[in-house]
Amino acid sequence: MSATLAGYATHEQLIQKSRFLARAWPVDHVDEAQAHVERCAQEDASHHCYAWRAGQQYRFHDANEPSGTAGRPILQAIDGQDLDYVVVVVTRWFGGIKLGAGGLVRAYGGVAAECLRQAARRELIEMQTLQIALPFAQENLLRQIAGECAGQLGAEHYDSQGFSCQLTLPASRAAECRQRLQDGTRGQARINPFP
């Protein structure tokens, strides 16, 4: 199972008089990753290279360093540590000594990898959302089962048919929750995957 960062992490290193600052954040979605990149890009520095991964989506950018010498090594640092939903920005302040392509790959990838190695992590738990409708009399049973299955109720609604809501819970508990609700309501609960 993959992990993400538990919070913000940073690592700074001086390489051949150039200052490299790696900053990493956990993110929930692509827009959040881009927002971190854009905030860093406002700072006065030679280069702001980055990479992020959010599930199957990813992006990396060399920020005017030679092609393939910065963004891709940062992404490889993320993937090499089996991290997901993470953005890493490595900022470089040029110190006057050229590192060459191999030196840049080692510098960007190495600083990013060290930042991620030092960072606290948390396990990523796949979540699933169910749309549930049931008679009023079964609402308390639903709330009890949802709590026992580490679920959260949302979009709660009452109408003449009864109570309906969305239940978000760990995907690994969804089948158990469905079965318990069907058994407890004697088949009166209508349970569908939420799109």
Side-chain angles (χ1 to χ4, degrees):
M1 181 165 291
S2 65
T4 190
L5 301 181
Y8 172 71
T10 184
H11 175 71
E12 188 171 339
Q13 197 170 339
L14 209 58
I15 301 171
Q16 296 289 316
K17 296 189 177 180
S18 283
R19 179 177 157 221
F20 289 84
L21 174 64
R23 291 171 282 184
W25 296 266
V27 293
D28 292 323
H29 47 76
V30 170
D31 294 340
E32 190 179 354
Q34 280 303 123
H36 285 299
V37 168
E38 288 168 14
R39 270 195 303 282
C40 290
Q42 303 301 315
E43 299 169 1
D44 185 27
S46 307
H47 305 277
H48 298 285
C49 305
Y50 68 87
W52 53 257
R53 175 169 294 286
Q56 297 302 310
Q57 298 180 71
Y58 65 90
R59 181 166 295 152
F60 56 88
H61 183 61
D62 293 317
N64 296 321
E65 290 284 27
S67 180
T69 62
R72 184 172 294 280
I74 297 169
L75 182 63
Q76 289 169 338
I78 294 169
D79 291 345
Q81 296 188 40
D82 197 25
L83 291 169
D84 205 350
Y85 292 91
V86 170
V87 59
V88 178
V89 178
V90 179
T91 300
R92 178 186 183 200
W93 289 269
F94 183 60
I97 298 174
K98 295 193 177 205
L99 301 179
L104 289 171
V105 168
R106 285 188 298 278
Y108 280 102
V111 171
E114 188 58 30
C115 177
L116 296 172
R117 260 193 296 278
Q118 295 175 10
R121 299 169 186 226
R122 67 177 170 83
E123 186 178 312
L124 277 173
I125 299 171
E126 182 184 351
M127 302 299 278
Q128 183 175 352
T129 301
L130 303 173
Q131 184 70 43
I132 300 173
L134 40 70
F136 295 118
Q138 308 297 336
E139 179 185 348
N140 286 337
L141 175 67
L142 167 61
R143 290 186 185 281
Q144 176 188 340
I145 293 171
E148 292 169 359
C149 291
Q152 294 283 331
L153 297 182
E156 297 180 22
H157 181 72
Y158 297 90
D159 62 22
S160 61
Q161 305 297 311
F163 176 71
S164 64
C165 67
Q166 292 171 9
L167 171 62
T168 302
L169 72 168
S172 62
R173 305 289 303 268
E176 169 197 351
C177 182
R178 277 176 178 260
Q179 190 61 53
R180 288 180 63 191
L181 278 172
Q182 288 299 340
D183 293 348
T185 63
R186 294 184 176 87
Q188 292 181 303
R190 293 184 313 280
I191 306 168
N192 296 301
F194 184 73

